[in-house]
Amino acid sequence: MEKLERRTRIARLKVAAPEAVYAEMKEYALAVQAHPYTEGSDELELMLLRRDNPLINLALAGFASNYELVGKLYGKGRELADDPQQADQARGLRLAVLSNQTVAAKGLLSRFPERVIGDDEVARVLKEGDWKEAEALALNPTVSDDVLKAIYRGDNFVAGIDETRRRELVVCSSGNPRLWTNTDNDYGPDMGHWDIHKAIFEMLETVPTSNHWAGSLTYLLRQLDPNHVKSPDSIDDVLDRWTRDETGEVRDLDEGDTYTHTGLTQRQELRCLIGALYGRSYKKPVKVHGTAEDDDVARRCAFYGNGKLDVKDIDAGYGRDKGVFVFGAIFNDDMLHNRKTRRHFEEHCLHSGDTYLYEMRCQQLDRKWTSFDPRPAAEWMVDEEKEKGKERFATERQVSQLQASVKELQKLVSYAPWFFAALAVLISWKLS
């Protein structure tokens, strides 16, 4: 039945209701993304474009694979609208194009969205366009690496951008899966991924050392997987740099607002995060850029996040630095891989306020290592997880039932034109 539906797709969608076309184009996009060299159909997409229906155009903008066709729809979305309804439709087209993940599946030369809308338009969207459109672009996992690198380096597409706007783009981009998607394979390393993380570390070395930037960078770095970040030979300069404000004046790192995850000042928390994430270099011999006895808490966090921690080390670190120790140690893969130290950490150090970051770290390890069990080991966390599991199961079951109902309705809608056409022929035959 599925093969028949695919073979008759063009004939069916030529007369199907726009809602049915939209639903099927979503499935079509997933198929193209999975098998880009066998599933895409320019014939189908061009036929649907000729229908010139607002909802179908929206489906094509978001799910089609032909970059010229998608670019044409973006151009249509940039045309001046005569009334509010047309303006909404035009904005919807632009957002759909900027969120499209199918064009890039066609290969390395897709350069999405530059090849679709042009370099100048990419720059306009990022620097001064509607924020929702810039957000869609920054969060699109198939956006070209050059766009993300430009945001982090402050050049190319965002050269001359307003500083606040750039910080907002940096924070927004923290949700882009490209930051933790490394496509190294037998044919070579993922150099684009490497360049993105190199650009992120360069931000720490170049952006103004204001409290605003400290907050934005902290938000970004907290989302990163330590397995993917750059491994610098030293963090001395960057840690020293963030002891000074944007005027170059040395600041008292314990003075200021402490409305942060750790209770430290924003500037000091960023330094601790830099230590935990970047505190180990892998050039032989492997070096950890801090010790448990260091006077600088950021360097202690470098040890907490990268050193070999046994149960005694965990107790000593928590005894000295409490929540700051937890903040640093959450990034320590070796400790989390060891069931004994992980259980001790969960039972004696973690609190409910730490669970979001901790669960995110466990998910990161689960993606990388099939042997890693992301489920908590401590009893108090197991009980909490059971309650969450019950809620998730109930919600997922409701969603599954709703999706099944919608699918049946879509089938009825898509077959309706055929039914009425057959009925008309039958009535005509009866009357003749």
Side-chain angles (χ1 to χ4, degrees), residues 172-347:
C172 177
S173 72
S174 67
N176 193 318
R178 178 60 174 138
L179 299 187
W180 55 87
T181 304
N182 187 326
T183 59
D184 287 350
N185 55 43
D186 294 339
Y187 300 101
D190 183 351
M191 294 307 297
H193 186 265
W194 162 257
D195 287 341
I196 288 170
H197 283 279
K198 182 182 177 183
I200 289 175
F201 191 78
E202 287 173 359
M203 265 200 306
L204 300 172
E205 301 174 308
T206 56
V207 298
T209 53
S210 64
N211 283 331
H212 287 308
W213 266 111
S216 299
L217 291 172
T218 298
Y219 189 91
L220 170 67
L221 297 191
R222 282 182 59 181
Q223 317 306 314
L224 301 184
D225 183 337
N227 288 288
H228 292 220
V229 300
K230 179 183 176 180
S231 174
D233 294 336
S234 171
I235 56 174
D236 291 349
D237 290 344
V238 74
L239 286 182
D240 179 68
R241 185 172 189 269
W242 284 95
T243 63
R244 307 167 187 274
D245 63 20
E246 61 269 40
T247 68
E249 182 180 348
V250 176
R251 302 301 300 266
D252 182 347
L253 296 174
D254 297 322
E255 185 179 296
D257 291 335
T258 56
Y259 302 115
T260 60
H261 182 86
T262 57
L264 299 172
T265 60
Q266 187 70 75
R267 187 177 300 276
Q268 188 72 297
E269 181 169 284
L270 173 61
R271 295 180 73 251
C272 287
L273 189 50
I274 292 170
L277 267 179
Y278 297 100
R280 176 163 53 178
S281 61
Y282 289 91
K283 281 189 176 180
K284 293 183 180 179
V286 174
K287 180 182 178 182
V288 175
H289 301 297
T291 67
E293 294 79 27
D294 205 296
D295 291 336
D296 185 350
V297 65
R299 293 188 179 279
R300 294 200 298 275
C301 281
F303 176 76
Y304 298 152
N306 299 279
K308 295 289 185 182
L309 301 181
D310 58 22
V311 169
K312 288 183 179 179
D313 294 322
I314 292 172
D315 287 340
Y318 186 71
R320 179 171 186 176
D321 287 315
K322 297 295 189 290
V324 178
F325 165 77
V326 174
F327 186 64
I330 275 178
F331 293 93
N332 193 312
D333 286 4
D334 291 337
M335 183 201 70
L336 296 179
H337 272 293
N338 184 306
R339 196 69 177 171
K340 180 181 178 181
T341 52
R342 179 182 169 192
R343 185 184 184 107
H344 190 81
F345 180 69
E346 289 180 357
E347 289 178 340

Side-chain angles (χ1 to χ4, degrees), residues 15 24 95 126 148 154 312 317 319 368 387:
V15 294
E24 186 149 345
L95 284 169
L126 291 173
L148 292 175
K312 288 183 179 179
K368 183 174 177 62
E387 290 304 314

